[in-house]
Amino acid sequence: RARRKALAAADRFVPQALESDDYHAWITYDADTYRFRQDSMSYLRAHYLCAHSDLGLNATRPELVAAWRRSVVRVLPKVWTHLGSRGIDQKLNFVKLFRALHLYDNTTTTTTADTVVATDDQGNSILMTTTTGKTTTTTTPSSSSSSSSSSSSSSG
């Protein structure tokens, strides 16, 4: 009974939050801002919990979950780029969420003690390397004719 009540409450407040421009505003902030850093993980985790847990919004609100995923996919390159400034625990948590949300193809992912290589659902190759406390995240767009590589480096 308590579980049903909690699920019903989530079915009410999650759509309200998703309809609020403020809920999505973090996407417009620079990747090095406090708001972006704090909300990026929360936004992805909330999407995961609503779409892939017993909250079941995939079944009850598929259009809502689909729109939310489109927002996640649009901001994904920016999220990948900001990982260079995160600690190892946060990097691993983001990678775990990316896998759980199928945001890149696991068959093209290689992980060693200091490197994660993945391909996101836009076909971008992502290389995250941690060596001697430094992290470099490089995104190489799949269509080299219209885009160039970007990278960031910082202490992790």
Side-chain angles (χ1 to χ4, degrees):
R1 183 170 142 145
R3 181 178 178 278
R4 261 185 286 145
K5 193 173 181 180
L7 292 175
D11 200 42
R12 284 190 311 275
F13 72 74
V14 169
Q16 288 173 350
L18 289 174
E19 290 167 3
S20 164
D21 289 339
D22 188 52
Y23 183 72
H24 304 283
W26 72 276
I27 294 170
T28 65
Y29 286 77
D30 288 335
D32 62 348
T33 62
Y34 179 80
R35 173 93 190 256
F36 187 91
R37 291 174 59 81
Q38 291 300 307
D39 289 356
S40 57
M41 176 64 80
S42 297
Y43 195 84
L44 289 171
R45 281 193 47 74
H47 175 63
Y48 172 78
L49 291 170
C50 289
H52 300 281
S53 74
D54 64 349
L55 290 176
L57 291 180
N58 260 350
T60 61
R61 303 277 182 113
E63 74 292 340
L64 191 71
V65 171
W68 198 351
R69 181 175 177 84
R70 285 191 298 274
S71 294
V72 166
V73 169
R74 273 194 306 274
V75 77
L76 195 59
K78 194 172 175 181
V79 172
W80 269 109
T81 299
H82 105 287
L83 289 183
S85 66
R86 302 302 285 252
I88 189 66
D89 178 60
Q90 287 296 305
K91 288 176 185 149
L92 293 171
N93 278 306
F94 273 102
V95 169
K96 182 172 75 174
L97 275 171
F98 295 158
R99 284 182 177 162
L101 292 168
H102 306 288
L103 291 170
Y104 63 80
D105 180 355
N106 287 338
T107 63
T108 61
T109 303
T110 306
T111 305
T112 64
D114 64 355
T115 305
V116 176
V117 180
T119 302
D120 69 15
D121 66 349
Q122 302 297 306
N124 298 315
S125 296
I126 296 115
L127 170 64
M128 239 178 24
T129 307
T130 303
T131 335
T132 62
K134 296 281 184 185
T135 300
T136 303
T137 305
T138 304
T139 304
T140 307
S142 56
S143 61
S144 57
S145 61
S146 63
S147 301
S148 61
S149 295
S150 67
S151 68
S152 65
S153 179
S154 67
S155 295

